[in-house]
Amino acid sequence: MLGAPGSGETLRNTLRSFVDLSHLTFRERDELQAVFDFWRAGLNTKVAPANSGNEQEKKTQASESIDANINKKKKNDDDGVTADEVEKQRQVVSRDVCDLESLFDHRLRHFFAERYDARLNVIDWDYHMRIKAVASIVHPRQYKRWRLTGSAFEARQVLYDAPNRTLASMRPGKQKAAGGKRDVLVRGYWCDTLVTPYVAIGVECDDDAMYEKKQSQHVKNAYHVAEHNAKQWIAALRQHHNRIKFVPFGVLDLASKLRKSKYAKQKFDIAVISQGYAHAAPDVFEGVVDGKVLVETIKYLPVKDDIKQAYIDKVKQQCAKWTAQHAEVNDSYIQFSTKA
């Protein structure tokens, strides 16, 4: 759609009718623009299939691309280029390179550590002992493929040879330097490698036909459930035309940011907190929420049942003094009410 003639203005007008970015600061807008620029750099980029060459060949190709851009800049610059400008250009070009396969493998090696060579057995254990009991709609082949490659939804039989740049993000890190370490931003695959994206969109839906079984096996799988949910959400957006407002609070010192923001006098009807930020739930109560607060459970995390229960007890204990009613717990969420 982005590459279609005349589609740019149409897409901007469509997004403008759904998304409101007016509450972002100029710095946050610049950071968002940098993310979009990185995504856009890969629109016309094709990478070789994984089995067409080794890792060294890929790195050589990336290096040659960087050198070509630097040489082009030298040729077009009548005044010449300094060493600092060459290095700066090298860094700019290298930021556009996205070897997501290597980034994902680096994350797997860090996660599995000494179990890396036995990762197939670990993944098989996680599925049959932890995942299958709560999300049997996820096919074991789907689960293993995602855990090993990061590829979750393969819609058709084609060669998936372009990286999904939305998964390559930046996070603060440390780099060795003269006299110590300095703060840097490191690009890598920092997304989930354990829970799977099927949990968000491919496990639950309102159509019982998706869960039909024959000979104790599901007729459909997580891909079909995800496709059904996506179509339902798009249809709802077209019908209601709701606008999405992005309010940048972050998770550090959330309570004070909420109190100081212009939303401090506007009570939210509901707040949904993911499992990764469950520790911030008390700050939400202390801030502005006047209604319901939903905290995600770790139902789909491949851990023992006693750990799941300990997580629920901890969240309930943290939020107890802010709630006027007892917490209601179901499989997916812990629900609190702040109204008497």
Side-chain angles (χ1 to χ4, degrees):
M1 183 172 66
L2 290 174
S7 63
E9 187 62 31
T10 302
L11 179 62
R12 282 192 291 270
N13 292 334
T14 302
L15 291 177
R16 193 177 294 115
S17 65
F18 284 102
V19 180
D20 181 9
L21 302 178
S22 61
H23 302 289
L24 300 180
T25 64
F26 286 108
R27 178 179 178 179
E28 289 161 343
R29 294 184 188 186
D30 291 340
E31 293 174 348
L32 194 61
Q33 180 66 40
V35 172
F36 291 152
D37 288 341
F38 175 74
W39 293 355
R40 188 180 297 111
L43 285 179
N44 298 319
T45 301
K46 296 293 182 182
V47 298
N51 58 358
S52 65
N54 57 30
E55 206 63 37
Q56 185 61 37
E57 291 177 350
K58 295 180 182 179
K59 293 181 180 179
T60 302
Q61 293 174 0
S63 178
E64 291 175 352
S65 175
I66 294 172
D67 292 336
N69 280 275
I70 293 174
N71 292 332
K72 183 178 180 181
K73 178 176 176 61
K74 287 181 178 179
K75 184 177 180 180
N76 295 335
D77 193 346
D78 296 332
D79 298 331
V81 182
T82 65
D84 292 341
E85 290 175 334
V86 170
E87 181 60 26
K88 183 177 180 180
Q89 175 67 7
R90 182 181 294 275
Q91 293 175 0
V92 170
V93 177
S94 64
R95 283 200 298 266
D96 292 339
V97 177
C98 181
D99 188 358
L100 194 59
E101 183 180 354
S102 297
L103 297 179
F104 188 82
D105 183 70
H106 178 77
R107 182 73 183 278
L108 291 184
R109 290 178 181 274
H110 177 76
F111 174 76
F112 287 110
E114 65 274 4
R115 301 181 301 167
Y116 180 79
D117 291 336
R119 60 191 181 280
L120 282 173
N121 295 335
V122 175
I123 293 171
D124 185 70
W125 172 272
D126 286 343
Y127 179 81
H128 287 94
M129 302 302 293
R130 308 288 184 223
I131 300 299
K132 188 176 181 179
V134 294
S136 60
I137 191 69
V138 179
H139 196 278
R141 290 184 179 179
Q142 288 179 321
Y143 183 77
K144 292 178 183 179
R145 182 178 64 242
W146 178 81
R147 288 287 300 271
L148 291 173
T149 67
S151 178
F153 301 101
E154 295 186 358
R156 53 195 183 279
Q157 294 181 349
V158 297
L159 182 63
Y160 291 86
D161 60 350
N164 182 356
R165 287 175 168 252
T166 63
L167 300 177
S169 55
M170 307 286 280
R171 67 177 297 178
K174 297 289 185 179
Q175 185 181 53
K176 292 183 179 180
K181 297 182 179 180
R182 62 189 182 96
D183 296 329
V184 295
L185 290 176
V186 183
R187 185 175 299 283
Y189 180 91
W190 309 121
C191 306
D192 172 38
T193 60
L194 191 61
V195 180
T196 82
Y198 304 118
V199 170
I201 188 175
V203 173
E204 300 178 356
C205 73
D206 56 2
D207 187 357
D208 294 336
M210 292 290 170
Y211 303 99
E212 179 186 357
K213 288 185 177 182
K214 290 185 178 180
Q215 297 182 354
S216 302
Q217 297 294 325
H218 284 284
V219 175
K220 300 183 181 297
N221 56 50
Y223 169 77
H224 301 101
V225 177
E227 183 181 32
H228 171 81
N229 285 331
K231 289 180 179 179
Q232 293 286 92
W233 296 344
I234 292 173
L237 284 174
R238 289 176 175 174
Q239 181 177 359
H240 298 291
H241 299 289
N242 295 326
R243 296 197 77 190
I244 303 173
K245 293 186 178 182
F246 287 87
V247 184
F249 287 138
V251 295
L252 298 177
D253 196 18
L254 179 61
S256 63
K257 289 183 179 180
L258 285 169
R259 287 193 297 268
K260 293 177 182 178
S261 73
K262 66 179 183 179
Y263 293 93
K265 296 180 180 180
Q266 303 178 17
K267 302 297 185 179
F268 290 110
D269 296 321
I270 189 171
V272 182
I273 304 174
S274 67
Q275 59 181 251
Y277 296 114
H279 59 278
D283 291 340
V284 174
F285 285 106
E286 188 178 351
V288 300
V289 173
D290 184 15
K292 293 182 178 180
V293 177
L294 301 180
V295 182
E296 185 185 18
T297 66
I298 56 174
K299 171 185 177 181
Y300 298 104
L301 201 63
V303 296
K304 296 181 179 180
D305 291 339
D306 56 343
I307 297 179
K308 296 180 180 181
Q309 186 59 45
Y311 167 86
I312 294 175
D313 295 339
K314 182 66 175 180
V315 173
K316 291 169 65 176
Q317 179 183 358
Q318 288 180 331
C319 301
K321 68 176 182 179
W322 301 108
T323 58
Q325 298 179 4
H326 294 292
E328 299 179 9
V329 181
N330 58 32
D331 286 342
S332 302
Y333 289 98
I334 310 169
Q335 178 177 311
F336 299 95
S337 176
T338 60
K339 294 181 179 180

